[in-house]
Amino acid sequence: KELCFGRCSECCLKCLSGIPYASLIATILLYAGVALFCGCGHEALSGTVTILQTYFDVVRSPVDALDVFTMIDIFKYVIYGVAAAFFVYGILLMVEGFFTTGAIRDLYGDFKITTCGRCVSAWFIMLTYIFMLAWLGVTAFSSLPVFMYFNIWNTCQNTTLVESSNLCFDLRQFGIVSIGEEKKLCTASENFIKMCESNELDLTFHLFVCALAGAGAAVIAMVHYLMVLSANWAYVKDACRMQKYEDIKSKEEQELHDIHSTRSKERLNAYT
């Protein structure tokens, strides 16, 4: 029993030592950030449609025009694509981490380091760097609705201070409607009071904040991946050089052994 327990413990420790924990942490952070951004962003866009239609009296264009509702639908489809793409990309990076860890730890095992493996690691580094820049842009873009909703939400929270003044929010300032359309919502209007009393504004605002936080988490995950991939690429490069050195050393030792054996046979033949 003790022998069996010792072998099981040794096997478990060997399996745990082969897990790329840095890649695992980055993958979990990436999935959490993407899920937060996609889920909260999708629901926040749906809440935006409700607010525009209910309180700002914005109607969907009857023709196939590029209005704000069409843009929101496009953003939703983009969110679906982002969720699927980065789910697959996280799996690929995790697999690359497992293979790289195996290459380093099992240098003389069945897994051999090849030039193709180093090229794949370099390709992942370049692709992750591009995705990091893309997520930086997404984070900057996600801050715009947060700023807009914060202004409206802050005004609702301080309605007692603005009773004497009539403040108006014009959608034309944000590019939501065309210049020819006048869609204003003033603090003295009944729709503004209803919007402030409803849960839709507060929920949509906080959903956009969570989406912004998810995009920031995805940026951090990309930076983490860059560090992991760069370190793995350097380790694989050094391991490849060490493998070549060991192969040359082994070849030279074999040649010396063959020369020594040949001379010993020649001396034995000469003696006989």
Side-chain angles (χ1 to χ4, degrees):
K1 292 183 179 180
E2 293 180 358
L3 181 60
C4 182
F5 179 76
R7 289 181 177 178
C8 291
S9 300
E10 183 180 355
C11 182
C12 291
L13 290 175
K14 186 177 180 180
C15 292
L16 292 175
S17 64
I19 297 176
Y21 291 100
S23 298
L24 180 62
I25 293 173
T27 303
I28 294 174
L29 184 60
L30 176 64
Y31 282 168
V34 172
L36 196 62
F37 171 78
C38 294
C40 294
H42 183 275
E43 293 302 316
L45 291 174
S46 300
T48 301
V49 172
T50 303
I51 290 174
L52 290 176
Q53 291 178 338
T54 305
Y55 304 107
F56 285 90
D57 297 328
V58 181
V59 295
R60 186 182 292 269
S61 177
V63 296
D64 295 335
L66 190 62
D67 57 356
V68 61
F69 298 107
T70 305
M71 292 297 298
I72 289 176
D73 292 337
I74 293 174
F75 288 148
K76 287 183 178 181
Y77 285 116
V78 170
I79 285 175
Y80 300 150
V82 168
F86 279 92
F87 176 77
V88 176
Y89 190 67
I91 293 177
L92 292 177
L93 289 177
M94 193 66 190
V95 171
E96 193 273 344
F98 271 107
F99 276 110
T100 306
T101 304
I104 296 170
R105 296 185 181 277
D106 301 327
L107 183 59
Y108 300 104
D110 295 331
F111 186 85
K112 296 297 182 181
I113 302 172
T114 61
T115 305
C116 180
R118 292 171 58 189
C119 292
V120 169
S121 297
W123 170 254
F124 274 123
I125 292 174
M126 182 184 68
L127 200 59
T128 304
Y129 182 76
I130 295 174
F131 284 150
M132 183 198 69
L133 296 179
W135 275 109
L136 282 175
V138 171
T139 304
F141 182 77
S142 300
S143 63
L144 297 179
V146 172
F147 174 74
M148 294 165 53
Y149 273 98
F150 175 77
N151 290 332
I152 301 176
W153 179 80
N154 191 37
T155 304
C156 289
Q157 298 298 316
N158 299 278
T159 51
T160 56
L161 301 177
V162 296
E163 287 181 354
S164 58
S165 59
N166 188 21
L167 302 179
C168 295
F169 295 95
D170 195 344
L171 297 181
R172 293 177 296 182
Q173 296 176 339
F174 305 107
I176 296 178
V177 296
S178 61
I179 300 297
E181 299 181 63
E182 185 177 353
K183 297 295 182 181
K184 290 184 179 180
L185 185 62
C186 300
T187 55
S189 64
E190 185 179 356
N191 280 342
F192 183 82
I193 297 175
K194 289 182 179 180
M195 182 180 65
C196 292
E197 292 178 351
S198 66
N199 295 326
E200 295 171 353
L201 177 65
D202 186 73
L203 179 61
T204 304
F205 169 60
H206 288 91
L207 283 174
F208 272 120
V209 173
C210 292
L212 178 62
V219 173
I220 297 175
M222 291 292 104
V223 174
H224 196 165
Y225 267 129
L226 278 176
M227 293 188 295
V228 172
L229 291 170
S230 300
N232 288 343
W233 185 82
Y235 291 153
V236 169
K237 184 178 180 181
D238 292 340
C240 186
R241 291 179 178 178
M242 182 62 68
Q243 183 178 359
K244 290 180 180 179
Y245 170 76
E246 293 294 337
D247 291 341
I248 294 174
K249 183 179 178 182
S250 176
K251 185 177 179 180
E252 291 179 350
E253 291 178 352
Q254 184 65 33
E255 290 177 353
L256 291 175
H257 178 72
D258 293 340
I259 293 173
H260 181 72
S261 299
T262 302
R263 290 181 178 179
S264 298
K265 290 181 181 179
E266 291 177 352
R267 290 176 183 177
L268 181 61
N269 292 333
Y271 178 76
T272 55

